[in-house]
Amino acid sequence: MVITTSPLAFQPVLERIATEIEQTPGRGRPADYIPALAACDPRRFGMAIAELDGTVYGVGDWQQPFSTQSLTKVFTLALVLAREGDELWEHVGREPSGNPFNSLVQLEYENGIPRNPFINAGALVVTDRLQTQTGDAAGILLEFLRAESGNPELAFDRDVASSEAAHGDRNAALGHFMASYSNIDNPVPALLEQYFRQCSIEASCADLALAAGFLARHGIRADGSRLLTRSQAKQVNAVMLTCGTYDAAGEFAYRVGLPGKSGVGGGIVAVVPGRCTLAVWGPGLDKRGNSVAGVAALDRFTTLTGLSVF
């Protein structure tokens, strides 16, 4: 059955999804390689929908801040693309990787050019370019998220950033390897500090659904100004669809049918272009690093509403 999605119909859809998720026995396991995330209760769940005009609907823990982690890669990508356009794609690709998000393997075969902006190597390149452009990549990102979400209280979590730095040897290896191919401009230690701060930002489902609204509005920010051209917004959504959920992007497209980006904090942001944005949080992850409850909830959303890009 497809539910008619007038604005008032979103809340009943969310409540139905939350009831179904609550009855789901297996929720995965939190990311244990980042100690600050390991203690999260895998049965927590929140989901929010933001319409184009900023109206937000939510259920469960939709206003509870959590560690955004790789969700921030979408916003950093947009900020860099807005500043330098297609020049960015000379430094990072747009193809699915087929390998784990922190893999070193492909970099050597591809001469230090990461396969896409959402694996860790690609995100490091994008953050590096934003750092070169602004001198404070993480700070510019936080300012942007505060503005788009309307929440001036968004902040870095120092404990999470410190935890990631203490366990960041593989990211350091990725950075140094790309630097050896002249694909990193800034000193790797300084870049890693920016990257770990970026990933440590805490935000709620409501914050993230609002912040991603420019992708549903074809590049238009919450204040009506244009961040991206319509074509650039399409590009970001396309890369989200094909690369946004690590090496499970094909399965996500098959089940959900929306551009989406996941993070190991248990969040997923998804976009219905021209209609709305969604954010969901469930800390329990599957083996590929995606929220078990989050993927299931988005699957049910597109099934119940008929809203997808296909």
Side-chain angles (χ1 to χ4, degrees), residues 176-234:
H176 284 294
F177 191 84
M178 290 186 293
S180 75
Y181 283 93
S182 300
N183 200 25
I184 295 291
D185 293 334
N186 295 279
V188 172
L191 169 59
L192 292 173
E193 180 184 3
Q194 290 289 326
Y195 181 68
F196 295 143
R197 288 176 68 216
Q198 166 188 320
C199 292
S200 78
I201 293 172
E202 284 200 323
S204 69
C205 292
D207 296 325
L208 291 163
L210 286 167
F214 70 95
L215 291 172
R217 292 188 293 267
H218 308 296
I220 301 296
R221 295 185 60 171
D223 64 2
S225 64
R226 181 170 286 281
L227 175 68
L228 301 174
T229 67
R230 190 180 183 98
S231 179
Q232 288 171 332
K234 178 194 71 175

Side-chain angles (χ1 to χ4, degrees), residues 10-310:
F10 277 137
Q11 192 62 41
V13 170
L14 288 175
E15 291 171 2
R16 176 169 173 178
I17 291 170
T19 298
E20 293 182 9
I21 294 298
E22 179 63 29
Q23 297 169 354
T24 302
R27 297 282 190 93
R29 298 177 58 184
D32 55 8
Y33 65 94
I34 301 174
L37 303 182
C40 290
D41 180 357
R43 295 199 63 80
R44 298 197 71 171
F45 174 77
M47 187 172 184
I49 299 173
E51 295 190 295
L52 302 186
D53 64 359
T55 302
V56 186
Y57 307 87
V59 71
D61 297 313
W62 67 292
Q63 294 177 304
Q64 172 65 43
F66 62 91
S67 187
T68 55
Q69 295 295 312
S70 289
L71 300 182
T72 60
K73 296 174 182 178
V74 172
F75 304 101
T76 306
L77 172 62
L79 290 171
V80 175
L81 194 58
R83 284 168 167 79
E84 64 180 53
D86 287 346
E87 182 183 344
L88 169 64
W89 304 120
E90 297 174 12
H91 302 272
V92 62
R94 302 185 295 271
E95 295 294 336
S97 69
N99 283 312
F101 58 85
N102 59 357
S103 174
L104 283 154
V105 174
Q106 284 176 332
L107 278 177
E108 185 166 12
Y109 290 116
E110 298 177 352
N111 300 316
I113 304 295
R115 184 64 68 90
N116 68 68
F118 295 148
I119 55 175
N120 285 17
L124 285 167
V125 167
V126 175
T127 299
D128 177 67
R129 301 195 68 74
L130 188 60
Q131 179 68 11
T132 297
Q133 295 160 5
T134 67
D136 184 12
I140 291 295
L141 171 64
L142 181 60
E143 180 182 306
F144 176 80
L145 291 174
R146 285 173 172 174
E148 295 306 293
S149 68
N151 183 359
E153 302 301 317
L154 296 185
F156 303 110
D157 185 320
R158 293 182 180 179
D159 290 340
V160 170
S162 296
S163 179
E164 294 202 55
H167 297 80
D169 291 338
R170 184 173 289 263
N171 283 318
L174 291 168
H176 284 294
F177 191 84
M178 290 186 293
S180 75
Y181 283 93
S182 300
N183 200 25
I184 295 291
D185 293 334
N186 295 279
V188 172
L191 169 59
L192 292 173
E193 180 184 3
Q194 290 289 326
Y195 181 68
F196 295 143
R197 288 176 68 216
Q198 166 188 320
C199 292
S200 78
I201 293 172
E202 284 200 323
S204 69
C205 292
D207 296 325
L208 291 163
L210 286 167
F214 70 95
L215 291 172
R217 292 188 293 267
H218 308 296
I220 301 296
R221 295 185 60 171
D223 64 2
S225 64
R226 181 170 286 281
L227 175 68
L228 301 174
T229 67
R230 190 180 183 98
S231 179
Q232 288 171 332
K234 178 194 71 175
Q235 291 169 5
V236 174
N237 281 326
V239 178
M240 288 173 68
L241 179 67
T242 57
C243 308
T245 46
Y246 310 123
D247 55 337
E251 179 69 12
F252 186 82
Y254 176 82
R255 289 185 61 184
V256 176
L258 293 174
K261 180 72 193 85
S262 62
V264 295
I268 304 176
V269 171
V271 181
V272 185
R275 186 60 187 268
C276 63
T277 48
L278 304 96
V280 61
W281 177 52
L285 310 179
D286 61 23
K287 292 180 180 180
R288 291 172 169 175
N290 299 310
S291 169
V292 173
V295 174
L298 291 169
D299 182 358
R300 291 301 293 150
F301 173 81
T302 53
T303 299
L304 290 169
T305 64
L307 292 175
S308 82
V309 298
F310 300 111

